[in-house]
């Protein structure tokens, strides 16, 4: 039988030529009676790279970070025992009858040291192998002349042939859009991306660990809703054919979780996907993961204490888990580069006080808070608003360097759609105080920012929160901001069915005036409250944002395995 050439077809070049060559190698493997996509591997006897690193860590030479090993100590520990590893080849270099391969599995990298006089006829496998292939190797752990922990292989077999090459010269993928589209390549080419994905899993485990230890019950509630509720956001719509029913993808699980509190599940939580039909940004993805929990006989003040404890617990859990995964270096780098700290008490600032402080820092008279309605620019206002409003804002804007950093144009437009003093207070906070939280609230050393609870929100912007007994115009609500980014929203729950019904009606009235991000009137939820919900506090946390912060990622797309993208342009 004529032997087929491994060379690509004449005229083939670039990636197409590489693919053709690799396909030809796969055909040669089949012709030799073996499967280039094998299923029979020695998985039961497999050693993970992290297990080998842990087994031989006492043989590390100082400094341990250099990953150089003492040959005699390794030989003593190995005792001639053969180990089996499985993984992907990420590098290959050869010197005649000796080859060095880098093998990567889910837990790390290790070098394979292959000698022709050890492999014998098996050395011919190198004619079949390319970077990117999955292999099975068996041999004895040893140390090379450069001090690198390696496996001197006596068996090396192709498990899966990769037709497409990995990124050129293994420098990784740098095209951001391509990285997100081809995440399966990104995770191989960029170890940092894989570390973030593993950290995300650990963070979710840490959240569950914290709540489960406090007798919370994890549940799943519907993601298809017949009404818009649980948050102020624009939903995605869908249709159920069998019922001929228009439905909404949930924007939050809140109202269903509180129904469970009514039913006697006093501590309940859910970690699940939510969907909001909003724009894309570094902080927003249309589908995202939320943690929501509800606790009977608790207040929003209880939840502030609980939030501090939970975030510290998750960070410690993450550190321990990354150590177990062999990713301790990645965690240490993240911790060192964080611009915030969880190590000091979080600040608790009423919204009105945050606005006053922001005005003081900007050297704007605090009396300005009473004149926001004068500078509003409504849709029916003259361009730029009234002459008096322009003059007033012009004076404020030149008061200081901080004042010049305020987005006065959008601040005035935001005020223009407000119907109440409470709404104007919220807009003032959003533009005057929130953008500067990480600057204004610092650690004792001044080196890092301190997380800030903004508390006591106006009732007009908190349709599900309980009014304060001391001031019914405000609610027992907080939002937590870490490095200026909103992370959590929580409040003492409104359990008065009549008050809740009135607030639902207010939401419906806003919708009738054209507001898109409003809730519907949920009659069944009111009926549930009429059965009596105990005093309770509820909490929501953006899991994606928490991962961003703990892993120091600037874009939410970095922490979502497959973020939403525009369809790929036709070739």
């Amino acid at each position: 039988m004529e032997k087929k050439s491994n060379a690509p077809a004449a005229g083939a070049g670039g990636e197409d030529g590489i693919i053709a060559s690799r396909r030809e190698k796969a055909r040669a493997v089949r012709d030799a009676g073996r499967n280039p996509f094998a299923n029979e591997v020695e998985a039961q006897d497999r050693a993970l790279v992290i297990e080998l690193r842990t087994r031989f860590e006492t043989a590390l030479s100082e400094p341990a970070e250099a990953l150089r090993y003492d040959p005699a100590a390794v030989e003593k520990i190995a005792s001639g025992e053969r180990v089996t590893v499985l993984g992907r080849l990420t590098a290959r270099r050869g010197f005649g009858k000796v080859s060095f391969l880098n093998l990567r599995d889910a837990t790390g990298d290790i070098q394979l040291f292959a000698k022709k006089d050890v492999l014998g006829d098996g050395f011919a496998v190198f004619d079949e192998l390319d970077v990117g292939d999955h292999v099975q190797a068996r041999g004895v752990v040893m140390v090379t002349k450069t001090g690198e922990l390696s496996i001197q292989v006596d068996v090396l077999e192709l498990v899966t042939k990769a037709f497409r090459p990995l990124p050129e010269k293994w420098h990784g993928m740098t095209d951001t859009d391509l990285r997100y589209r081809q995440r399966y390549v990104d995770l191989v080419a960029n170890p940092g991306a894989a570390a973030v994905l593993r950290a995300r899993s650990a963070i979710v485990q840490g959240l569950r660990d914290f709540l489960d230890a406090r007798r919370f019950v994890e549940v799943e509630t519907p993601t298809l809703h017949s009404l818009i509720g649980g948050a102020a956001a624009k939903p995605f719509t869908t249709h159920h054919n069998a019922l001929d029913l228009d439905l909404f993808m949930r924007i939050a699980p809140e109202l269903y979780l509180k129904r469970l509190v009514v039913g006697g599940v006093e501590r309940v939580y859910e970690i699940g996907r939510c969907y909001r039909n909003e724009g894309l940004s570094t902080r927003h993805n249309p589908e995202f993961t939320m943690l929501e929990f509800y606790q009977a006989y608790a207040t929003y003040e209880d939840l502030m204490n609980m939030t501090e404890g939970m975030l510290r617990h998750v960070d410690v859990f993450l550190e321990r888990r990354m150590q177990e995964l062999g990713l301790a270096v990645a965690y240490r780098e993240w911790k060192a580069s964080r611009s915030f700290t969880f190590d000091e008490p979080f600040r608790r600032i009423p919204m009105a006080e945050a606005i006053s402080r922001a005005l003081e820092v900007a050297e704007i008279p605090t009396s300005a808070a009473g004149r926001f309605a004068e500078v509003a620019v409504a849709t029916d206002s003259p361009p730029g608003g009234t002459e008096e409003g322009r003059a007033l804002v012009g004076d404020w804007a030149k008061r200081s360097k901080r004042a010049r950093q305020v987005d006065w144009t959008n601040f005035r437009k935001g005020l223009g759609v407000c119907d109440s003093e409470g709404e104007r207070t919220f807009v003032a906070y959003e533009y005057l105080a929130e953008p500067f939280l990480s600057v204004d609230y610092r650690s004792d050393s001044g080196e890092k920012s301190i997380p800030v609870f903004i508390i006591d929100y106006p009732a007009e912007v908190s349709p599900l929160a309980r009014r304060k007994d001391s001031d019914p115009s405000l609610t027992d609500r907080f939002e937590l901001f870490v490095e200026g980014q909103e992370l959590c929203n929580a409040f003492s729950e409104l359990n008065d069915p009549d008050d809740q019904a009135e607030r639902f009606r207010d939401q419906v009235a806003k919708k009738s005036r054209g507001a898109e991000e409003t809730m519907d009137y949920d009659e069944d939820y009111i009926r549930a409250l009429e059965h009596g919900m105990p005093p309770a506090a509820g909490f929501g946390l953006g899991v994606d944002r928490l991962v961003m912060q703990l892993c120091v990622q600037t874009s939410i797309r970095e922490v979502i395995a497959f973020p939403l993208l525009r369809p790929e342009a036709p070739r």
Side-chain angles (χ1 to χ4, degrees):
M1 185 176 186
E2 183 180 356
K3 183 177 179 181
K4 294 185 178 180
S5 170
N6 287 339
E15 186 174 71
D16 289 341
I18 293 172
I19 293 172
S21 174
R22 292 182 175 214
R23 286 184 177 277
E24 189 63 37
K25 290 182 180 181
R27 281 192 287 269
V29 171
R30 286 195 176 97
D31 289 344
R34 291 178 289 112
N35 189 347
F37 301 96
N39 193 40
E40 296 180 0
V41 295
E42 299 178 22
Q44 290 184 342
D45 298 327
R46 175 191 185 189
L48 296 174
V49 170
I50 191 173
E51 294 171 345
L52 294 175
R53 296 283 183 194
T54 302
R55 179 180 173 187
F56 291 94
E57 65 183 356
T58 57
L60 277 168
S61 302
E62 294 293 338
E65 291 78 10
L67 291 180
R68 293 295 176 259
Y69 291 78
D70 177 76
V74 167
E75 183 178 5
K76 182 177 180 181
I77 297 170
S79 302
E81 178 187 347
R82 297 169 73 234
V83 298
T84 300
V85 290
L86 291 159
R88 186 192 293 271
L89 296 182
T90 60
R92 172 182 173 178
R93 55 193 175 93
F95 304 97
K97 298 180 181 181
V98 175
S99 284
F100 296 89
L101 306 168
N102 191 78
L103 178 140
R104 175 174 297 167
D105 69 12
T107 66
D109 292 48
I110 196 165
Q111 180 172 266
L112 306 181
F113 177 52
K115 296 177 67 176
K116 186 173 183 179
D117 60 359
V118 174
L119 280 169
D121 293 341
F123 200 75
V125 72
F126 282 94
D127 293 335
E128 306 167 0
L129 297 180
D130 293 289
V131 170
D133 291 349
H134 289 265
V135 299
Q136 176 173 261
R138 190 168 179 83
V140 177
V141 178
M142 48 82 72
V143 178
T144 63
K145 292 180 180 179
T146 59
E148 186 167 355
L149 191 70
S150 306
I151 299 173
Q152 181 167 306
V153 297
D154 51 48
V155 174
L156 183 61
E157 299 171 313
L158 173 67
V159 173
T160 299
K161 189 68 191 170
F163 288 158
R164 291 184 179 271
L166 291 167
E168 180 69 19
K169 296 183 180 179
W170 199 248
H171 289 318
M173 300 174 72
T174 56
D175 184 313
T176 302
D177 186 70
L178 186 63
R179 286 181 52 232
Y180 298 147
R181 290 188 188 281
Q182 299 183 15
R183 188 67 97 177
Y184 40 86
V185 180
D186 181 37
L187 294 174
V188 179
N190 294 317
V196 170
L197 188 67
R198 295 188 180 282
R200 181 190 179 100
S201 175
I203 288 166
V204 172
Q205 290 175 35
L207 292 168
R208 284 194 169 99
D209 185 69
F210 182 86
L211 293 169
D212 291 346
R214 286 158 180 78
R215 306 190 315 280
F216 278 81
V217 177
E218 183 175 9
V219 299
E220 293 179 316
T221 61
T223 57
L224 294 175
H225 292 182
S226 58
L227 296 172
I228 303 171
K234 186 177 180 180
F236 287 96
T237 60
T238 186
H239 185 80
H240 190 285
N241 291 333
L243 295 177
D244 190 22
L245 182 65
D246 290 331
L247 296 166
F248 304 104
M249 301 295 289
R250 74 172 174 197
I251 56 179
E254 178 169 344
L255 298 184
Y256 283 97
L257 291 173
K258 288 195 285 194
R259 284 173 168 92
L260 294 175
V261 176
V262 172
V265 186
E266 294 184 356
R267 299 186 178 202
V268 63
Y269 77 94
E270 181 171 10
I271 298 175
R273 300 295 265 185
C274 295
Y275 309 85
R276 298 183 184 179
N277 201 349
E278 57 191 11
L280 297 169
S281 76
T282 56
R283 298 184 182 185
H284 299 88
N285 194 64
E287 57 175 319
F288 57 97
T289 302
M290 284 279 288
L291 159 67
E292 287 203 12
F293 70 75
Y294 294 84
Q295 180 174 339
Y297 310 110
T299 68
Y300 84 124
E301 292 178 332
D302 296 323
L303 295 198
M304 279 189 274
N305 296 331
M306 189 172 173
T307 301
E308 289 197 44
M310 181 173 67
L311 294 179
R312 293 188 183 109
H313 174 89
V314 169
D315 197 19
V316 171
F317 190 98
L318 173 62
E319 180 179 21
R320 183 173 67 249
R321 186 69 180 129
M322 296 297 277
Q323 176 73 41
E324 294 169 352
L325 293 171
L327 296 169
V329 173
Y331 175 83
R332 287 197 296 269
E333 290 176 349
W334 293 333
K335 181 92 181 258
S337 59
R338 290 177 192 165
S339 53
F340 63 90
T341 178
F342 287 160
D343 296 337
E344 297 180 22
F346 297 3
R347 300 296 299 274
R348 304 182 182 190
I349 309 295
M351 181 174 286
E353 182 181 328
I355 295 170
S356 296
R357 289 190 181 191
L359 291 171
E360 289 176 6
V361 174
E363 300 178 21
I364 297 172
T366 55
S367 59
R371 307 190 67 181
F372 291 150
E374 299 176 43
V375 304
V377 178
T379 54
D380 57 353
S381 299
T386 64
E387 182 176 345
E388 294 80 0
R390 289 197 302 272
L392 196 55
V393 169
D395 174 59
W396 293 345
K398 64 185 180 183
R399 291 273 181 153
S400 65
K401 180 179 179 181
R402 167 68 68 81
R404 290 189 290 274
Q405 295 173 325
V406 174
D407 184 354
W408 292 107
T409 298
N410 283 320
F411 169 58
R412 299 180 70 194
K413 290 180 180 178
L415 291 173
V417 298
C418 293
D419 294 326
S420 65
E421 191 62 32
E423 291 177 343
R424 283 188 284 272
T425 296
F426 181 69
V427 169
Y429 163 75
E430 281 192 310
Y431 286 94
L432 301 179
E434 184 180 319
F436 309 103
L437 293 177
S438 61
V439 177
D440 293 343
Y441 300 96
R442 309 293 294 177
S443 61
D444 292 340
S445 67
E447 295 180 358
K448 295 182 180 291
S449 68
I450 293 291
V452 181
F453 290 111
I454 298 297
I455 65 175
D456 299 349
Y457 277 58
E460 294 92 332
V461 296
S462 310
L464 298 169
R466 185 182 188 278
R467 294 181 189 271
K468 294 186 73 65
D469 291 331
S470 59
D471 184 350
S473 69
L474 303 176
T475 58
D476 288 336
R477 175 186 173 190
F478 73 75
E479 286 187 315
L480 176 65
F481 291 81
V482 178
E483 188 57 20
Q485 184 175 155
E486 179 198 341
L487 180 62
C488 310
N489 181 32
F491 39 80
S492 297
E493 295 298 335
L494 175 59
N495 60 352
D496 180 336
D498 293 337
D499 190 352
Q500 183 63 80
E502 182 60 33
R503 296 203 214 179
F504 277 156
R505 283 190 283 269
D506 289 342
Q507 290 283 297
V508 172
K510 286 185 178 182
K511 192 188 298 286
S512 69
R513 295 194 295 269
E516 291 186 326
E517 297 186 352
T518 56
M519 288 182 262
D520 291 329
Y521 189 99
D522 192 332
E523 184 176 354
D524 180 72
Y525 180 67
I526 297 299
R527 181 164 53 237
L529 292 184
E530 289 173 343
H531 282 84
M533 184 173 82
F539 171 96
L541 175 146
V543 173
D544 310 287
R545 289 188 180 181
L546 178 59
V547 179
M548 286 175 62
Q549 291 167 339
L550 293 181
C551 300
V552 196
Q553 302 298 308
T554 58
S555 172
I556 195 171
R557 294 186 176 191
E558 293 291 343
V559 304
I560 296 175
F562 299 100
L564 182 66
L565 302 169
R566 293 184 184 276
E568 193 170 3
R571 295 184 178 180

